[in-house]
Amino acid sequence: MVKYLEELLHEKTKDSQSSILFAQWSYDKKIIPTALQAVANLFPHYSLHDESHSVTIINNIVRILGKENLTKLSSIDIWLILEAAYWHDLGMVVSGEKLVETMSSKEFIQFMTELINDKKNSLHDFAVKFEVVDGKIKVKNTVYNLELNDSIKFILAEFFRRKHAERSSEIVSNPIAELPIVSPRGVIPERIIRILGDICSSHTKDFSQVMSLSFNEVGIDIENAHPRFVACLLRIGDLLDLDNNRFSEVMLRTLTKVPIDTLNHKAKHLAITSFRVDREKIEITANCEDYDIANITQHWLNYLNSEISSQMINWNDIVPDKSFGYLPTIGALKVNLLNYDLIDGKNKPKFSVDTDKALDLLRGAGIYDGAYQSIREVLQNSVDSSLIRVWLEHKGKADFSSPLSASFKAIVLNYPIVVTIEKLGIENGYTSWKIDIEDKGIGISKNDLKFLMNTGSSSKNYAKINIVNEMPVWMKPSGTFGIGFQSIFMITDQVVISTKSYFDENRQVIELNSPSSKKDGDVLIKKESTSHFDKPGAKISIVHKTKAIPSRYSVKFDHRHASSIAENFDPFVHESLDIEIGKIIDEVISFSDKAYLPVQLIVEGDRLDDIKEVNSFEFYDSSTNTEISVFNNNARRYHSLISYYKGQVFENGINDLLFLRFEINIHKDNAYDVLTLNRNKIKDEYYPILKKDLLSSSFKLITTIYNDIEDNNSKIDASMYLHFYANDKMKKKYDLSKYDDWRNYKVEVDGEVMLYGDLFDSIKVLKIVTGMNKDPEKEFFALSDHELTIHIVGDSYANSLYTHFFVNQVSKAFQEINTSITEDGRRMLVLYRDHANRELMNLDGVKRVIRRREIYGSRTTVPCPSDFFELRLKEKSHIPYLGHYRIDHNALQLATYPEMVFPYVLERKGKYKYQYVKSINEKLYNWIYENRFDKSTSKEQIINAYDRFCSQIDIDEINRQIRKTDGEE
């Protein structure tokens, strides 16, 4: 039908001023198809957008209008239809210069960041091959492969697809500048060219925007153009390009991997089995064999139905003349899902969460220790919002290199968070409290509100994420997390937010109702007048009802205000026992302890003095993005690490720190990756990262302040900490000889005082004897001829941490270890400074170890007797879940000893029933051979050594002794 329209255009414009339209089209139809072929350069995985697509659109328009109506079209409308069908997708052609420019643009880098973070996006798997570092896109894997080419191509294609309609309009206006396309300009009035561009750009816009196009425009000669009409025809013709042959198999075969969306859309086209488009009716049937393909097809048909329905409703405001008649009616648009069933005959079954039940679960499942903790979520939102505003207003002017910078500390004093708690009264046995939380943050815009209402969806608030990505790591908000703001509905049915947005200057009052309340989650938004004097921020107000006299209550050790309320309650004086409001007060105070921003708490008109303005840390380590403070261990006992995430305390499980106590504040990573859902505890998988960062930051802090420590005992403790916890990495990074004050620790040896350093240098042998009678109740040291004996109280640990330290130092420096039993039956561990290839214990000692079950795990290593050194493992041999025999609890880093894999596993046969079972196979032999100490040992020698070992163990006798010990015999 293109040729027919061309002839019609020629006939209508012949010998008239409008002949310039035909001349322009005659030129464009020769150059545009060549340009359209370049779409496949960036979009090889898309359906064909070459000239065949343009021709199909025109054919579909003719089918809809009817050939008999074409003569009613004005010449300029015919020209606009032809030109728009060819020009509308030229925005998908992108020059090399434009691609290079785009790759380094801020907009594209933000787009790439969104794809990397959005695991549900179909391009996520391609995006994660890259990373954004310092505002630049870098390849994660340094090994080049062709998938990288296709991956970046798919991502660039999606970036330009979203804006291709607007780009088409720009190319129409100035084709030379962008591609270039040598389409003459200057003959057709610029206004008409601009109308063509608007029509092209409208083919992806909302229908309301299409209706904003002119209904009628002066054309050329005495004819009129109808931009709205042509744009609507273009949209329907484009949507109806649905037939089977729309993808190029040749282009798809050039790709290393085809995106899943491409495969699904290709399958969508192939699924069309019946297709009718004429003046009377549009009917389409698709038979799909897959849910996802059915969904995509149904979505496309729904879009088509919506478009035609919208045009029908507005047809009188679209069509130039009623003589054109009406659009065809929508017949059956059917998607059949073969071999599957649909629950309601229409929609794909899908799990969903009942909001009422979800809130009930929050209250009853123990996710939070108490409903009062939901206040913390609101406070955290206020801090996050305020930090973003601080950044926006002061970036480039203030020092944001560290949370300890003086300028940052001064600035945040102007952004306080004010919490006001006021008692409203008692009614029907319940006390009502009004709680306001007011901040000076960025406020809540209309865009923010849709994320606030949808639990867990704030990770998709890309406008805010793009700002956050520019901020220093330590200053970034705590991240989208868990149930977030909606947890406030655990303590109220309604939240009122009075807010002014930093970005759009709009003030609004937002009423949020709990999904489980009578108002069923309704959200009411009321706009209010504002002025320049009204600053951005948000005030969140709730009414919290508590039982006036609870039948029972519980308070924690750290609930100081709640405990005080309980202790001071007098039933003859007080009308209410306000335990729950006391917990909220305690929660606010706890939150404020390490918050960056000052928190002011006003209860019943009185400002509490418990709140500290800003309580910062001692040191900031930019390499780990952590703040850290150290405290001397004056009590000489183990300490727990006090840990915070972005200023909020959490449990970490580290409770065995020696010599020094630390507080640490984590600033990197998202809260979701660090903490459990209630933010109270560390996630198990993050525990190793915390320990690693603690080690790194504590060493940096101590070595920085070491020379400024004036107290000798404190300096000794700091020295011991460094030497005790130094791993290979720390030893390479720090010269520990500069921190040797541990050598000045004084210990009593044979009634004389010696320094640890002198004692360490003088001995060649250290004997540790355990099981000493507990009188005296401390270790004692005896020195004879370079041989030191330490007598330990009890059977395992040294009572003194300093004895523990000394043994640890010796164990790292001495070469060999041996165990034996003293004449009076006590266990003795002997460490030798020299190296003489001694065995740790003989075969009898090994038998004693396994008989007493002094091993951990099913399969384990045991000391290797010298008679079986063919089985000896090289140092640091490792395989997951292989246990290692632990010689002694007093020296955590003992000198190495010969060890072998025990050929028996300890099996559990009942609740308290155990026995050893022989377990040797080819995999074990091969692993021993690969990890053998003596490389001259053959695999056959290893097999023979195991045979000799097993023949001398008498495992049946050992199992009998175990059963006897366990009371089975």
Side-chain angles (χ1 to χ4, degrees):
M1 295 306 297
V2 175
K3 187 171 180 61
Y4 179 76
L5 281 178
E6 285 179 352
E7 293 172 352
L8 194 58
L9 177 63
H10 180 262
E11 186 65 29
K12 282 179 171 285
T13 59
K14 184 173 57 177
D15 300 327
S16 72
Q17 188 179 350
S18 296
S19 61
I20 58 175
L21 297 173
F22 183 78
Q24 180 77 43
W25 168 246
S26 298
Y27 194 90
D28 287 346
K29 76 171 184 178
K30 295 178 181 178
I31 61 171
I32 296 176
T34 302
L36 285 173
Q37 290 176 9
V39 170
N41 291 342
L42 189 58
F43 295 85
H45 52 304
Y46 270 51
S47 59
L48 294 172
H49 283 72
D50 56 7
E51 185 179 16
S52 67
H53 177 53
S54 305
V55 170
T56 300
I57 289 174
I58 292 171
N59 289 341
N60 288 334
I61 291 173
V62 173
R63 288 178 179 277
I64 291 167
L65 286 180
K67 189 174 180 180
E68 65 278 10
N69 279 328
L70 297 183
T71 57
K72 301 175 184 177
L73 294 168
S74 65
S75 58
I76 193 168
D77 282 346
I78 295 174
W79 180 80
L80 286 171
I81 289 170
L82 290 169
E83 294 279 6
Y86 275 71
W87 283 97
H88 77 284
D89 278 334
L90 268 171
M92 298 171 74
V93 179
V94 187
S95 66
E97 293 88 347
K98 187 67 176 178
L99 291 174
V100 171
E101 174 190 325
T102 299
M103 284 285 291
S104 58
S105 71
K106 183 177 179 180
E107 184 183 4
F108 182 72
I109 290 170
Q110 290 175 347
F111 176 69
M112 174 69 86
T113 302
E114 292 171 12
L115 293 182
I116 293 172
N117 294 331
D118 187 359
K119 295 181 180 179
K120 290 186 177 181
N121 194 293
S122 61
L123 293 177
H124 173 75
D125 289 343
F126 298 105
V128 293
K129 299 178 187 297
F130 307 89
E131 59 184 342
V132 176
V133 180
D134 297 329
K136 296 180 180 179
I137 297 173
K138 297 185 178 181
V139 179
K140 271 189 178 179
N141 191 343
T142 55
V143 179
Y144 176 79
N145 62 74
L146 289 175
E147 281 190 20
L148 294 172
N149 278 0
D150 288 341
S151 295
I152 200 67
K153 181 180 291 185
F154 299 152
I155 293 167
L156 282 165
E158 177 60 17
F159 179 79
F160 280 103
R161 180 198 66 80
R162 298 184 181 189
K163 53 177 62 184
H164 83 277
E166 289 294 341
R167 293 190 74 251
S168 296
S169 177
E170 294 170 4
I171 293 171
V172 166
S173 297
N174 194 352
I176 289 288
E178 183 66 28
L179 291 180
I181 296 175
V182 188
S183 175
R185 293 291 180 267
V187 178
I188 304 290
E190 184 179 337
R191 178 179 59 84
I192 302 297
I193 294 296
R194 190 164 57 249
I195 289 172
L196 174 60
D198 291 342
I199 292 171
C200 290
S201 68
S202 71
H203 83 277
T204 61
K205 292 181 178 179
D206 292 337
F207 183 74
S208 59
Q209 293 176 280
V210 179
M211 292 299 293
S212 68
L213 293 176
S214 297
F215 171 79
N216 198 27
E217 283 275 350
V218 171
I220 297 176
D221 282 341
I222 60 172
E223 288 188 311
N224 289 330
H226 302 91
R228 187 185 302 169
F229 176 60
V230 175
C232 287
L233 294 177
L234 176 66
R235 286 163 68 91
I236 295 179
D238 196 17
L239 283 171
L240 287 171
D241 188 7
L242 274 171
D243 225 341
N244 300 148
N245 60 340
R246 297 306 303 138
F247 282 81
S248 169
E249 290 295 335
V250 173
M251 294 303 299
L252 293 180
R253 290 291 296 273
T254 65
L255 302 173
T256 57
K257 184 177 181 180
V258 180
I260 186 64
D261 279 357
T262 296
L263 297 175
N264 287 341
H265 280 285
K266 178 186 174 187
K268 173 194 73 178
H269 285 273
L270 294 175
I272 304 298
T273 56
S274 177
F275 193 9
R276 173 185 173 181
V277 179
D278 54 40
R279 286 283 296 132
E280 294 183 6
K281 190 171 289 188
I282 296 176
E283 289 187 330
I284 303 171
T285 300
N287 292 329
C288 304
E289 297 182 354
D290 181 270
Y291 261 134
D292 291 331
I293 296 167
N295 276 346
I296 290 173
T297 308
Q298 187 66 61
H299 176 76
W300 192 270
L301 297 186
N302 290 344
Y303 189 12
L304 175 63
N305 185 34
S306 173
E307 179 66 28
I308 294 178
S309 298
S310 296
Q311 291 195 26
M312 282 181 171
I313 293 170
N314 295 277
W315 190 243
N316 288 337
D317 295 323
I318 295 173
V319 68
D321 191 282
K322 292 182 180 179
S323 64
F324 279 94
Y326 294 96
L327 288 172
T329 59
I330 298 294
L333 301 179
K334 294 197 304 183
V335 178
N336 299 319
L337 185 56
L338 306 179
N339 304 319
Y340 289 89
D341 197 9
L342 298 171
I343 290 177
D344 58 4
K346 180 181 179 182
N347 295 315
K348 174 182 176 181
K350 187 176 183 180
F351 280 109
S352 62
V353 176
D354 185 290
T355 310
D356 294 352
K357 295 295 183 184
L359 289 171
D360 287 342
L361 283 171
L362 289 180
R363 295 185 182 99
I367 293 176
Y368 286 100
D369 289 344
Y372 61 88
Q373 288 192 336
S374 62
I375 286 290
R376 186 173 55 194
E377 297 282 359
V378 182
L379 289 168
Q380 189 62 56
N381 283 348
S382 292
V383 170
D384 291 350
S385 176
S386 300
L387 285 174
I388 292 174
R389 184 175 171 191
V390 168
W391 168 253
L392 290 172
E393 293 185 339
H394 300 279
K395 62 179 178 179
K397 296 178 286 186
D399 176 15
F400 289 145
S401 61
S402 160
L404 304 180
S405 76
S407 60
F408 172 72
K409 287 183 176 182
I411 287 170
V412 296
L413 293 177
N414 298 314
Y415 297 82
I417 295 172
V418 181
V419 181
T420 305
I421 300 176
E422 180 183 354
K423 191 174 186 176
L424 300 179
I426 301 175
E427 185 178 353
N428 298 325
Y430 284 86
T431 307
S432 295
W433 299 86
K434 186 173 186 291
I435 303 174
D436 295 333
I437 299 175
E438 188 170 7
D439 65 57
K440 295 183 178 180
I442 57 174
I444 299 173
S445 67
K446 194 171 182 180
N447 182 60
D448 295 331
L449 185 59
K450 64 183 179 183
F451 299 106
L452 186 67
M453 293 186 298
N454 188 3
T455 303
S457 70
S458 50
S459 61
K460 297 179 176 61
N461 190 348
Y462 295 119
K464 186 176 288 184
I465 289 172
N466 290 335
I467 297 172
V468 169
N469 285 340
E470 297 178 345
M471 298 170 69
V473 172
W474 64 266
M475 196 180 181
K476 289 182 179 181
S478 62
T480 59
F481 191 82
I483 53 179
F485 182 86
Q486 288 199 21
S487 65
I488 195 66
F489 290 124
M490 294 171 64
I491 61 173
T492 190
D493 282 339
Q494 187 180 85
V495 180
V496 177
I497 306 174
S498 177
T499 181
K500 180 177 181 179
S501 172
Y502 177 87
F503 300 104
D504 55 26
E505 288 286 313
N506 289 326
R507 170 165 281 285
Q508 50 193 354
V509 176
I510 306 163
E511 179 186 305
L512 304 172
N513 291 282
S514 169
S516 61
S517 70
K518 291 180 179 179
K519 292 191 176 182
D520 195 26
D522 286 347
V523 177
L524 304 177
I525 305 173
K526 179 183 178 182
K527 290 186 177 180
E528 290 192 341
S529 59
T530 184
S531 70
H532 178 70
F533 299 101
D534 192 10
K535 301 302 181 183
K539 180 180 180 180
I540 297 173
S541 302
I542 67 169
V543 173
H544 177 41
K545 293 184 177 181
T546 62
K547 207 165 185 179
I549 306 294
S551 56
R552 56 178 297 182
Y553 66 86
S554 64
V555 293
K556 289 188 172 184
F557 175 77
D558 56 350
H559 287 159
R560 191 165 63 83
H561 277 77
S563 298
S564 177
I565 290 170
E567 292 168 1
N568 295 323
F569 177 71
D570 183 346
F572 295 104
V573 175
H574 301 120
E575 295 181 340
S576 60
L577 176 57
D578 304 316
I579 298 292
E580 293 305 312
I581 211 69
K583 290 179 181 179
I584 289 178
I585 292 172
D586 287 321
E587 190 67 24
V588 175
I589 292 173
S590 173
F591 182 92
S592 69
D593 185 45
K594 288 292 190 294
Y596 280 154
L597 279 67
V599 179
Q600 300 171 8
L601 176 58
I602 302 170
V603 180
E604 295 279 78
D606 295 327
R607 178 171 172 177
L608 296 196
D609 295 329
D610 304 68
I611 301 289
K612 301 171 183 176
E613 287 293 325
V614 175
N615 186 12
S616 61
F617 286 77
E618 182 178 355
F619 183 78
Y620 175 67
D621 182 0
S622 59
S623 64
T624 59
N625 289 305
T626 56
E627 290 179 282
I628 187 169
S629 294
V630 61
F631 306 90
N632 187 36
N633 182 12
N634 292 321
R636 313 296 192 197
R637 46 189 184 83
Y638 294 95
H639 268 291
S640 298
L641 171 70
I642 299 177
S643 55
Y644 300 83
Y645 175 78
K646 299 284 187 181
Q648 298 311 301
V649 68
F650 67 89
E651 298 175 20
N652 56 67
I654 300 176
N655 52 20
D656 57 353
L657 290 175
L658 305 181
F659 312 110
L660 300 173
R661 180 170 67 85
F662 294 94
E663 292 186 1
I664 192 170
N665 193 16
I666 301 170
H667 290 290
K668 66 179 181 180
D669 301 321
N670 192 287
Y672 177 84
D673 300 316
V674 180
L675 304 176
T676 54
L677 186 60
N678 60 7
R679 299 202 189 206
N680 287 343
K681 296 180 181 179
I682 190 173
K683 280 189 172 180
D684 290 342
E685 53 267 36
Y686 201 83
Y687 180 81
I689 300 174
L690 175 62
K691 291 202 72 173
K692 179 183 175 183
D693 288 348
L694 170 62
L695 183 69
S696 177
S697 296
S698 63
F699 267 64
K700 184 175 287 188
L701 168 60
I702 294 169
T703 55
T704 300
I705 66 173
Y706 190 85
N707 291 329
D708 296 326
I709 300 174
E710 296 180 356
D711 180 71
N712 290 333
N713 290 332
S714 297
K715 205 161 194 174
I716 288 172
D717 284 345
S719 173
M720 287 187 174
Y721 179 88
L722 293 175
H723 284 269
F724 188 86
Y725 287 108
N727 56 22
D728 291 341
K729 183 178 180 180
M730 294 297 109
K731 290 175 184 176
K732 290 179 180 179
K733 188 172 183 179
Y734 299 98
D735 181 2
L736 293 183
S737 64
K738 296 179 179 179
Y739 315 100
D740 265 353
D741 283 79
W742 67 268
R743 297 175 63 88
N744 297 327
Y745 181 75
K746 297 175 181 179
V747 64
E748 186 177 312
V749 182
D750 295 326
E752 300 290 333
V753 174
M754 289 190 68
L755 298 180
Y756 259 2
D758 295 337
L759 183 62
F760 179 85
D761 294 339
S762 67
I763 63 172
K764 297 178 180 178
V765 177
L766 171 64
K767 294 181 179 180
I768 304 170
V769 180
T770 61
M772 184 185 73
N773 190 293
K774 294 190 178 182
D775 184 24
E777 292 185 352
K778 65 177 182 179
E779 300 85 23
F780 67 88
F781 290 54
L783 181 63
S784 176
D785 193 22
H786 305 292
E787 186 174 289
L788 176 66
T789 302
I790 303 177
H791 295 270
I792 301 290
V793 177
D795 294 324
S796 55
Y797 290 98
N799 187 51
S800 166
L801 295 182
Y802 299 100
T803 302
H804 191 77
F805 172 83
F806 186 81
V807 173
N808 180 271
Q809 285 299 102
V810 171
S811 72
K812 288 187 286 188
F814 282 30
Q815 298 294 310
E816 287 188 352
I817 264 182
N818 179 260
T819 60
S820 64
I821 303 297
T822 63
E823 293 181 358
D824 57 357
R826 288 186 289 162
R827 186 179 177 193
M828 182 168 65
L829 179 69
V830 186
L831 292 88
Y832 302 90
R833 192 183 287 270
D834 65 344
H835 183 73
N837 210 26
R838 302 174 180 88
E839 64 181 2
L840 177 64
M841 61 181 65
N842 57 24
L843 187 59
D844 288 337
V846 174
K847 290 179 182 179
R848 185 169 57 253
V849 165
I850 61 175
R851 186 173 64 249
R852 294 179 178 177
R853 283 169 285 179
E854 296 175 359
I855 55 178
Y856 303 92
S858 176
R859 174 76 79 174
T860 185
T861 66
V862 294
C864 185
S866 57
D867 291 344
F868 304 96
F869 266 11
E870 298 94 334
L871 303 176
R872 183 179 179 181
L873 299 173
K874 66 183 179 182
E875 292 183 17
K876 297 182 180 178
S877 297
H878 174 73
I879 188 171
Y881 302 105
L882 173 65
H884 290 267
Y885 171 65
R886 188 173 184 178
I887 302 172
D888 181 78
H889 295 285
N890 293 292
L892 299 181
Q893 302 180 47
L894 291 168
T896 58
Y897 67 90
E899 61 178 334
M900 59 175 278
V901 176
F902 192 49
Y904 298 87
V905 294
L906 186 62
E907 288 189 354
R908 183 172 178 173
K909 293 298 185 181
K911 190 172 182 181
Y912 299 111
K913 298 178 181 179
Y914 295 89
Q915 69 175 19
Y916 286 104
V917 177
K918 186 176 181 180
S919 178
I920 303 179
N921 55 28
E922 195 66 23
K923 184 177 180 180
L924 174 64
Y925 288 140
N926 290 336
W927 189 83
I928 302 297
Y929 180 74
E930 292 171 3
N931 292 276
R932 65 198 187 279
F933 179 84
D934 184 354
K935 293 300 180 183
S936 66
T937 302
S938 66
K939 186 175 177 181
E940 184 178 358
Q941 288 175 305
I942 291 171
I943 295 172
N944 291 334
Y946 266 128
D947 289 341
R948 287 189 294 108
F949 184 88
C950 293
S951 68
Q952 297 181 40
I953 279 291
D954 194 358
I955 203 68
D956 291 335
E957 174 60 21
I958 290 174
N959 281 331
R960 189 189 69 78
Q961 292 176 13
I962 289 174
R963 289 195 298 272
K964 184 176 180 180
T965 301
D966 292 343
E968 296 181 52
E969 292 186 2

